[in-house]
Amino acid sequence: MNHPLVHQQAKAWGERIFKSAGSVEDKLRELHRISFSREATAGEIAWGTAALETLGSAQNRQEAWSSLCHIIMNRKEFIYVF
Amino acid sequence: MSSSLGHLSRRDVLHRGSLGFGSLALAGLLDQESAAAVDPHFAPKAKHVIFLYMDGGVSHVDSFDPKPLLKKENGQKPKFEVEATVFNNNGNILASPWDFKNYGKSGIPISDLFPHIGSCSDELCVMRSMTAFFPSHPNANYFLHSGLILAGRPSMGAWASYGLGSANTDLPTYVVVHGGQVPSGGLQMTGEGFLPAAHGPSVLHPKGVVLQNINPQEKQAGLQEDKLALLRQIDGKLQEQRPDSALIASAVKNYEMAYRMQMAVPEVTDIAKESEAIKELYGLNSKFDNTRTYGAQCLMIRRLFEKGVRFVELTITTGNGDRWDQHGGLKKGHSQNALAVDQPIAALIKDLESRGLLDSTLIVFAGEFGRTPFAQGRDHNPQGFSIWMAGGGIKGGTIYGATDEYGYHAIENKMTVHDMHANMLHLMGVDHKKLTYRCGGRDVRLTDVHGEIIPEILA
């Protein structure tokens, strides 16, 4: 949640995703493939799309992606294998 | 094992790839109890417990168990058979460098090492017939904390958390306020062992970085809350898909608590708000650095209790020469160690008493063993030593048990670490025989298969 290294990595990851080609949906799918080694569900695409709106406006889109990456790193499915 | 997530989980891949984790490990992880408050077995006397861990072994004949015969035979070869000790370099009888005074209405004799604690003598039950079984520090420490010679069993505080559950949700039930001195055998001995992780301690420091990563990194107001709300949403979906998983539920709860700890921990350490009188009482203005540190540790305890923490253990400060393990340099070493803790502990007793909290707070002062009555400094003496208890349900102004005239062996009303644990749980309203956790095919207890209630020490 607060570790500086995690924030740093989330920032870098978000930047990379933001700068990559593709639609928002493409990028969300890629994020889920990288994080969970599986395809995103429809629910997760909806969640991610709405999340980006909450997390940032058009002006700081990159930061919104970084925040989303930070959230993903804190998801229990990311942290734990079960 | 098929996944109910509707797709191939990482676990499935590992399983099918025969690189899987043992099913036993998974079963252990999934079989977790919740950390919600549970009813004690009977009415408790103590709602809170403070364990003042005196790392290294306080010499009982120099503190709470005066032996005039040592003075009389000072410098003489022991007239009795001396058993092997850890360093096995034993010389002649060594009298205590300190005088003893009788304190309070009860007249309990306490050495000049602890004049402040002495002034609280009418609250104390001094147990002089304590015994442990293991002369080496790590094993004696594991035994003191968990009732077993080996590492890995849950510590007293974890059992208390398991037995009583949480009184609030802003802070964990069990906290270790770490003075800096890591016990011989590792700080892990204060941990939860095989009990669910919710019963482990939060380790706080009295100064500087109180708890690592407690501060949010987000610069924008509300951003952390937004993120956590989104996280809660998506993790909630996971919980719906896996309602059987106590592990996920536990992890989600931990995050909720972590969020609240961000506010609660700074509040607990904001000592600036305390009155000058209180700061003075606890030794925060002392000339001696370690008195100030231990004073800050003790002052945190009351504030932790105000936030519903139930069990606090203190480790001692560092940078004070050695801990209580004075094989040599007895006068200097024990003086410095006592100087650090004496005033703050007395302040804690008095502060709790003045707030009407002492009756519901059990205080235990104990190290892993005592020290021998011979010279070359003093070696380890598990076969007879002193501890004391005060507060909730304890009969104050009392001495229980006795060692022989040299302070070498406990001879009257011998008690063990198991008895200490049994009575601590008893005062918390817990039957030590009924508080069990299934591990390794056994219903394990803090007291193993031992432990007796001692009515003489109970009010």
Side-chain angles (χ1 to χ4, degrees):
Chain A
M1 202 164 91
N2 294 335
H3 199 290
L5 177 65
V6 176
H7 279 264
Q8 188 192 82
Q9 294 303 310
K11 184 163 179 278
W13 192 15
E15 207 177 288
R16 205 166 65 239
I17 286 282
F18 171 71
K19 288 179 180 160
S20 69
S23 66
V24 168
E25 189 174 314
D26 291 335
K27 292 179 184 184
L28 287 170
R29 289 195 184 284
E30 184 60 14
L31 270 182
H32 282 78
R33 277 185 213 115
I34 294 169
S35 319
F36 306 118
S37 302
R38 61 167 175 84
E39 292 299 331
T41 64
E44 282 169 325
I45 300 297
W47 170 81
T49 312
L52 285 165
E53 295 311 310
T54 310
L55 294 167
S57 65
Q59 276 74 46
N60 60 347
R61 206 64 181 163
Q62 181 174 302
E63 275 149 35
W65 279 103
S66 292
S67 290
L68 187 69
C69 289
H70 185 227
I71 297 173
I72 289 177
M73 284 172 161
N74 281 273
R75 282 173 64 171
K76 307 305 161 283
E77 194 186 340
F78 184 86
I79 298 173
Y80 298 103
V81 180
F82 45 78
Chain B
M1 185 180 81
S2 67
S3 165
S4 55
L5 291 166
H7 50 254
L8 204 64
S9 76
R10 289 174 294 179
R11 181 164 290 285
D12 288 341
V13 170
L14 287 165
H15 247 269
R16 292 172 200 209
S18 18
L19 298 167
F21 304 115
S23 59
L24 286 172
L26 175 62
L29 285 173
L30 293 181
D31 184 31
Q32 291 193 50
E33 313 274 343
S34 103
V38 289
D39 290 328
H41 297 135
F42 43 85
K45 291 287 171 68
K47 299 206 183 78
H48 302 112
V49 181
I50 303 168
F51 192 80
L52 300 169
Y53 165 56
M54 294 296 128
D55 189 349
V58 180
S59 169
H60 52 294
V61 300
D62 295 307
S63 57
F64 297 98
D65 195 5
K67 296 290 162 184
L69 194 57
L70 298 180
K71 204 168 186 172
K72 201 154 160 251
E73 295 186 12
N74 188 36
Q76 293 176 30
K77 198 169 173 330
K79 293 174 185 163
F80 47 87
E81 192 190 330
V82 170
E83 291 150 35
T85 59
V86 170
F87 278 57
N88 224 20
N89 185 25
N90 300 306
N92 298 330
I93 298 289
L94 178 68
S96 179
W98 292 278
D99 292 327
F100 280 75
K101 290 189 180 59
N102 296 338
Y103 285 94
K105 291 198 194 93
S106 51
I108 293 182
I110 294 174
S111 84
D112 289 342
L113 276 175
F114 297 112
H116 289 96
I117 291 176
S119 71
C120 303
S121 69
D122 291 335
E123 307 299 335
L124 310 182
C125 177
V126 177
M127 294 158 221
R128 291 178 176 166
S129 52
M130 191 59 173
T131 64
F133 309 119
F134 315 112
S136 73
H137 288 291
N139 305 104
N141 279 332
Y142 299 145
F143 186 56
L144 181 72
H145 283 80
S146 75
L148 186 71
I149 184 177
L150 303 173
R153 284 240 178 125
S155 184
M156 299 167 270
W159 282 107
S161 169
Y162 171 61
L164 298 175
S166 178
N168 74 357
T169 51
D170 284 4
L171 286 170
T173 311
Y174 169 33
V175 169
V176 169
V177 184
H178 187 36
Q181 181 67 49
V182 175
S184 181
L187 194 59
Q188 199 72 344
M189 71 179 66
T190 60
E192 73 275 16
F194 50 65
L195 290 177
H199 303 299
S202 259
V203 179
L204 304 181
H205 298 82
K207 299 177 170 175
V209 179
V210 178
L211 183 63
Q212 291 279 359
N213 304 320
I214 193 71
N215 296 314
Q217 300 288 298
E218 288 80 6
K219 305 263 187 324
Q220 303 95 301
L223 178 57
Q224 192 193 48
E225 283 79 2
D226 285 343
K227 285 190 197 172
L228 290 172
L230 288 162
L231 179 65
R232 205 173 294 128
Q233 209 178 27
I234 196 72
D235 277 342
K237 292 226 168 66
L238 181 65
Q239 283 185 276
E240 278 167 33
Q241 286 161 351
R242 290 290 300 269
D244 55 302
S245 177
L247 175 62
I248 299 171
S250 189
V252 168
K253 274 220 301 243
N254 279 347
Y255 264 72
E256 302 295 325
M257 178 169 293
Y259 175 69
R260 285 189 291 273
M261 281 175 76
Q262 290 179 133
M263 271 74 76
V265 168
E267 280 172 26
V268 148
T269 51
D270 189 9
I271 290 180
K273 293 200 182 120
E274 296 283 350
S275 72
E276 281 311 311
I278 282 289
K279 287 190 217 173
E280 183 64 39
L281 184 72
Y282 277 84
L284 266 54
N285 297 327
S286 171
K287 279 192 297 233
F288 304 101
D289 188 44
N290 285 304
T291 312
R292 296 197 301 272
T293 304
Y294 203 78
Q297 288 174 261
C298 286
L299 188 47
M300 269 177 76
I301 296 176
R302 196 242 298 140
R303 293 161 142 257
L304 288 167
F305 287 167
E306 281 164 7
K307 290 217 172 277
V309 174
R310 287 182 185 259
F311 193 110
V312 180
E313 174 167 345
L314 258 50
T315 57
I316 59 174
T317 57
T318 189
N320 204 27
D322 194 3
R323 57 214 199 289
W324 290 97
D325 192 32
Q326 268 72 66
H327 287 272
L330 176 69
K331 185 120 196 262
K332 181 164 186 238
H334 263 41
S335 293
Q336 278 179 307
N337 282 310
L339 187 60
V341 309
D342 184 39
Q343 184 184 347
I345 292 175
L348 185 59
I349 295 173
K350 288 172 182 154
D351 191 21
L352 289 170
E353 220 231 322
S354 73
R355 289 167 203 266
L357 295 172
L358 188 59
D359 285 340
S360 57
T361 304
L362 173 64
I363 305 174
V364 182
F365 174 105
E368 66 265 43
F369 36 62
R371 309 203 80 81
T372 58
F374 331 117
Q376 268 78 52
R378 300 201 192 277
D379 208 320
H380 306 166
N381 205 67
Q383 56 269 34
F385 62 106
S386 300
I387 67 169
W388 57 257
M389 296 194 193
I394 287 291
K395 197 180 283 175
T398 313
I399 298 171
Y400 179 76
T403 48
D404 59 37
E405 29 183 18
Y406 294 95
Y408 189 30
H409 291 99
I411 53 169
E412 187 189 298
N413 286 333
K414 277 161 74 164
M415 59 184 287
T416 70
V417 165
H418 294 301
D419 300 322
M420 181 186 81
H421 290 154
N423 285 277
M424 285 171 72
L425 285 173
H426 177 81
L427 290 168
M428 288 185 251
V430 174
D431 182 338
H432 69 106
K433 292 180 184 166
K434 290 196 186 139
L435 187 67
T436 68
Y437 192 87
R438 192 121 192 126
C439 179
R442 262 185 80 191
D443 289 328
V444 184
R445 296 174 2 203
L446 170 59
T447 48
D448 196 31
V449 294
H450 309 286
E452 299 293 330
I453 304 303
I454 304 172
E456 292 92 323
I457 68 171
L458 305 175

